[in-house]
Amino acid sequence: MPHRADPARRKGVLPTMALPHRPTESSLFSGIYGLVLASALVAALDGTGEDADPGPDALWVLLTALAAGAAHGYAHVIALRASADGATTVSRLRLVLAEWPLVAAVLPTVAMLLAAMAGWWSEAAAADTALLLNTVALFGWGTWAARTAGYGWLSSCRAGFMDMLIGLAVIIADTLIE
């Protein structure tokens, strides 16, 4: 997405200071999606009554994120092909590789599970911490996305709070299911 000097503003959106590095809408979407995916996966992998095995769990979280990123990028390629756009193979590959924020967003969760594998803490503590960290990160990414779109601080924090509710819903569901 090209960066424009004077981005178009929606009605009711206050102009803000230009960001030195403006993240693309796609990278913000992928990052938020990756956090939700990581939370859902760690909640599902943290089963009660099972022997803790955080190493394979970390691998599953990472492989699932890689598969989801590749599938999402490939869906863009298919949509491009369906629109009869004559894009080259290189630009199609860029569409798939542009999903890196999805994979990057799950890396803290993977790191926490690997720390549990190393014996630094239990898998349950790693899963609970990952769920909490991802929920806080959802607030941050949601706020950042709204600020990038030109919203004021109050509206941006409200958007971040709405994103954070997704993480809270995963935590509540995990608590109720266990």
Side-chain angles (χ1 to χ4, degrees):
M1 175 183 297
H3 179 69
R4 298 183 296 181
D6 185 25
R9 301 271 180 222
R10 289 187 291 271
K11 185 177 179 179
V13 176
L14 299 172
T16 60
M17 179 172 58
L19 297 173
H21 170 70
R22 183 182 168 130
T24 64
E25 181 182 324
S26 175
S27 64
L28 289 168
F29 167 82
S30 294
I32 291 170
Y33 185 84
L35 287 169
V36 173
L37 180 67
S39 293
L41 287 169
V42 79
L45 292 172
D46 181 34
T48 55
E50 298 176 7
D51 290 335
D53 204 356
D57 288 351
L59 183 61
W60 273 114
V61 170
L62 184 60
L63 290 176
T64 302
L66 286 168
H72 193 260
Y74 188 65
H76 284 296
V77 170
I78 292 170
L80 203 78
R81 194 178 304 147
S83 70
D85 188 353
T88 64
T89 304
V90 173
S91 65
R92 289 180 179 172
L93 179 61
R94 283 187 191 136
L95 284 172
V96 175
L97 295 177
E99 297 300 321
W100 71 266
L102 188 153
V103 178
V106 305
L107 293 180
T109 300
V110 170
M112 286 181 227
L113 290 170
L114 291 176
M117 185 179 88
W120 294 351
W121 55 9
S122 69
E123 183 179 18
D128 291 344
T129 305
L131 286 171
L132 182 62
L133 177 73
N134 290 344
T135 300
V136 171
L138 279 168
F139 175 81
W141 278 75
T143 302
W144 187 21
R147 291 291 296 161
T148 299
Y151 287 92
W153 277 107
L154 182 59
S155 296
S156 297
C157 287
R158 207 174 352 196
F161 179 75
M162 295 305 290
D163 285 359
M164 188 177 77
L165 287 177
I166 299 168
L168 291 173
V170 172
I171 291 171
I172 290 167
D174 183 45
T175 303
L176 293 174
I177 292 171
E178 288 180 3

